[in-house]
């Protein structure tokens, strides 16, 4: 299994029965394929769909069924469709239990930078700013470092913020970290890594949980 799917599989364990969940573009969309079979979770897409299913097989592709990232998806029984205005009313009204978002940077205060790099073309901020303000819990799903092996988890974000102090948990291919009042708490590490290795690739200070576990994937 590649690291993107490992991240998604671990995050799926955070889903609870009855949750309404919004999955962002990129790694977060993969979470839909790993929802535990013994719970019922309703996925909401900000482009106006409540009841998003996993990615379709080739024989199931319907070009009219897409998520916010313009990827084809499936629908589950009872799926509802509505306007973008209604979708954001759900989000801003606090009706989303959990959102999973990608990130360019996260810091030890729970600040999130995910929407632009100054000087580069910006397609738009999307719905992330509404999601981090309206969702009851925010989990960041991202690779631990950039392609150049530079840390993405920093003491302070250097890019324009999507939201300040909004992140509750960070899940990468190497570790699971919770944002606490004291900073980032390392609660799980991958089976083929170590605390020292994770710290070396993390720009922020990490506090190690006394109950540190191996990532459940």
């Amino acid at each position: 299994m590649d690291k993107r799917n490992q991240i998604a599989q671990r995050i799926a364990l955070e889903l609870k029965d009855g949750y309404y969940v919004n999955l962002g573009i990129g790694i977060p969309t993969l979470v839909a394929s790993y929802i535990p079979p013994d719970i019922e979770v309703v996925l909401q897409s900000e482009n106006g769909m409540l009841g998003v299913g996993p990615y379709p097989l080739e024989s199931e592709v319907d070009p009219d069924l897409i998520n916010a990232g313009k990827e084809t998806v499936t629908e589950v029984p009872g799926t509802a469709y509505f306007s973008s205005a209604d979708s954001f009313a759900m989000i801003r009204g606090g009706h989303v239990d959990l959102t999973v978002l990608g990130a360019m940077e996260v810091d030890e205060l729970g600040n999130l930078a995910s929407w632009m790099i100054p000087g580069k073309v910006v397609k738009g901020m999307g719905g992330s700013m509404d999601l981090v303000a309206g969702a009851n819990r925010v989990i960041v799903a991202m690779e631990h470092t950039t392609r150049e092996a530079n840390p993405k988890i920093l003491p302070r974000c250097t890019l324009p913020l999507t939201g300040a102090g909004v992140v509750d948990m960070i899940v990468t291919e190497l570790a699971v970290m919770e944002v606490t009042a004291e900073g980032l708490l390392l609660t799980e590490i991958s089976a083929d890594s170590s605390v020292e290795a994770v710290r070396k690739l993390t720009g922020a200070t990490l506090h190690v949980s006394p109950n540190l576990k191996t990532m459940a994937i």
Side-chain angles (χ1 to χ4, degrees), residues 14-73:
E14 296 298 312
L15 306 182
K16 307 296 183 185
D17 190 45
Y19 265 20
Y20 286 83
V21 178
N22 181 287
L23 302 178
I25 297 170
I27 296 174
T29 59
L30 300 174
V31 174
S33 297
Y34 296 102
I35 297 174
D38 58 337
I39 67 172
E40 182 177 351
V41 172
V42 181
L43 299 182
Q44 191 256 17
S45 183
E46 65 203 54
N47 60 319
M49 186 175 178
L50 190 66
V52 180
Y55 285 119
L57 300 173
E58 188 173 347
S59 60
E60 299 174 325
V61 171
D62 181 342
D64 289 329
L65 293 181
I66 60 171
N67 60 21
K70 299 180 176 61
E71 300 170 306
T72 53
V73 294

Side-chain angles (χ1 to χ4, degrees), residues 106-111 153-157 170 178-184 203-207:
V106 185
D107 68 30
E108 57 193 37
L109 295 179
N111 297 326
I153 304 168
L154 306 170
R156 296 293 183 273
C157 290
I170 306 165
E178 295 180 4
V179 180
T180 72
E182 290 72 39
L184 295 181
T205 299
L206 288 179
H207 304 282

